[in-house]
Amino acid sequence: MEDSSENSNRVKLRDGRFLAYRENGVPKEEAKYKIILVHGFGSSKDMNFSASKELIEELGVYFLFYDRSGYGESDSNTKRSLESEVDDIAELADQLEIGPKFYLIGISLGSYPTWGCLKHIPHRLSGVAFVAPVVNYRWPSLPKKLIKKDYRRGILKWCLRISKFAPGLLHWWVIQKVFPSTSSVLESNPVYFNSLDMEVLKRITGFPMFTKDKLQEREVFDTLRGDFVACFGQWDFEPADLSISQESSVHIWHGKEDKVVPFQLQRCILQKQPLINYHEIPQGGHLIVHYDGICDSILRALLLGEEQNLYKPILQLNV
């Protein structure tokens, strides 16, 4: 069931929740390629994927952006899990009749629903691109010596524990101790972003959900907390377990200067899954999806199998 409102279009899911979406690119009926984009932490269907209009029309690409549960204009899901995220994607594709198979592009934390689709509905996927994907430190195949001293692992472990057992305390601590009232602590912070990312943040909206004013809204906080727990909690699989072939057309795009997710962890995944196409950007940070030309390169690689020399992957896996 579809619902058109003044602000966006929405579909009603089987469990009664509404999922908001927007369409872009060429009309669905004329498209040669249909792509669902899965946004990251604190983002929405209004995220910018700046592929050139000329390339979109040349290839015949239809884009489907949607607000994951609790984000933007989509209803929250108190039972959010990796599996529920997969179900939302499959049901959205069915209700909008985009066909039995489609492409997925997962951005940052939007990678966990994307990995979930590779696990649970691989028959629906024509190809997949991960852009700056996060990594779950609980994956057994990650080398202990590599992650043992990674400070990010300690922070995630602490936040996960508090998120599950003392969410009220975490909510108080976040709004009292961490975040300024109107601007996001994430913006222009060299702890998280390299110099190229900083330039990006001068021209994009940034992270409006991460301000104290927004996080004081318990519904916003609970959405972020639930998303975090689903991503970094216990999975019933890891990428190393998946059956990925050359025909699967799976790509990972990652910056070598990403300060949120170390590039070495992506190389570990590649060691276990050598048929993944790995594109490492030498001076790229976490916000590579906003770099000039990257979105065109992602589309050409995913849809046409083309590789551009500017972003030639580094194949030497010294992890």
Side-chain angles (χ1 to χ4, degrees), residues 142-143 146 264-273 319:
L142 294 178
L146 180 64
Q264 293 93 336
L265 298 180
Q266 307 297 351
R267 293 184 179 189
C268 290
I269 295 172
L270 192 59
Q271 284 188 320
K272 299 294 183 180
Q273 293 286 5
V319 299

Side-chain angles (χ1 to χ4, degrees), residues 157-283:
K157 190 175 182 180
W158 181 86
C159 288
L160 190 63
R161 186 176 292 120
I162 299 298
S163 293
K164 293 176 71 174
F165 299 113
L169 175 62
L170 180 63
H171 186 213
W172 174 86
W173 180 79
V174 164
I175 62 177
Q176 294 294 324
K177 302 294 184 182
V178 180
F179 293 97
S181 59
T182 56
S183 62
S184 169
V185 72
L186 294 180
E187 294 177 31
S188 302
N189 192 327
V191 172
Y192 307 106
F193 303 117
N194 74 347
S195 58
L196 291 179
D197 286 347
M198 296 291 203
E199 290 301 313
V200 166
L201 288 168
K202 293 177 182 178
R203 56 183 173 83
I204 67 170
T205 305
F207 304 92
M209 284 188 76
F210 296 125
T211 65
K212 184 189 292 187
D213 288 347
K214 289 299 292 182
L215 285 167
Q216 283 178 332
E217 300 175 27
R218 188 56 189 256
E219 189 173 351
V220 170
F221 173 80
D222 285 343
T223 289
L224 294 171
R225 181 180 67 86
D227 206 16
F228 177 87
V229 171
C231 178
F232 296 109
Q234 193 68 47
W235 294 17
D236 63 350
F237 73 98
E238 64 167 323
D241 300 331
L242 299 177
S243 177
I244 295 177
S245 66
Q246 198 70 50
E247 291 70 36
S248 303
S249 186
V250 178
H251 299 253
I252 293 178
W253 293 78
H254 205 78
K256 196 174 182 182
E257 294 182 10
D258 191 321
K259 296 185 178 184
V260 178
V261 185
F263 70 92
Q264 293 93 336
L265 298 180
Q266 307 297 351
R267 293 184 179 189
C268 290
I269 295 172
L270 192 59
Q271 284 188 320
K272 299 294 183 180
Q273 293 286 5
L275 295 181
I276 290 178
N277 300 281
Y278 183 52
H279 313 260
E280 193 170 274
I281 301 171
Q283 296 176 322

Side-chain angles (χ1 to χ4, degrees), residues 136-164:
N136 188 325
Y137 285 89
R138 293 183 174 213
W139 293 341
S141 67
L142 294 178
K144 296 294 187 291
K145 65 178 181 179
L146 180 64
I147 63 176
K148 186 176 182 180
K149 295 182 179 180
D150 189 335
Y151 73 91
R152 304 167 192 82
R153 176 173 175 258
I155 293 172
L156 290 172
K157 190 175 182 180
W158 181 86
C159 288
L160 190 63
R161 186 176 292 120
I162 299 298
S163 293
K164 293 176 71 174

Side-chain angles (χ1 to χ4, degrees), residues 60-185:
V61 182
Y62 160 87
F63 292 108
L64 177 57
F65 298 80
Y66 74 105
D67 287 329
R68 295 195 293 114
S69 60
Y71 286 103
E73 296 168 283
S74 288
D75 294 338
S76 59
N77 181 5
T78 57
K79 299 179 180 179
R80 184 199 294 272
S81 66
L82 187 147
E83 290 79 7
S84 74
E85 292 280 319
V86 174
D87 290 343
D88 284 359
I89 290 171
E91 193 170 350
L92 178 67
D94 289 342
Q95 291 214 30
L96 294 182
E97 299 180 341
I98 68 171
K101 300 189 77 170
F102 50 85
Y103 291 85
L104 272 184
I105 297 178
I107 315 294
S108 189
L109 193 127
S111 60
Y112 85 87
T114 309
W115 283 120
C117 288
L118 275 170
K119 166 67 174 178
H120 295 290
I121 56 168
H123 58 286
R124 301 291 307 269
L125 306 178
S126 298
V128 173
F130 295 90
V131 187
V134 297
V135 168
N136 188 325
Y137 285 89
R138 293 183 174 213
W139 293 341
S141 67
L142 294 178
K144 296 294 187 291
K145 65 178 181 179
L146 180 64
I147 63 176
K148 186 176 182 180
K149 295 182 179 180
D150 189 335
Y151 73 91
R152 304 167 192 82
R153 176 173 175 258
I155 293 172
L156 290 172
K157 190 175 182 180
W158 181 86
C159 288
L160 190 63
R161 186 176 292 120
I162 299 298
S163 293
K164 293 176 71 174
F165 299 113
L169 175 62
L170 180 63
H171 186 213
W172 174 86
W173 180 79
V174 164
I175 62 177
Q176 294 294 324
K177 302 294 184 182
V178 180
F179 293 97
S181 59
T182 56
S183 62
S184 169
V185 72

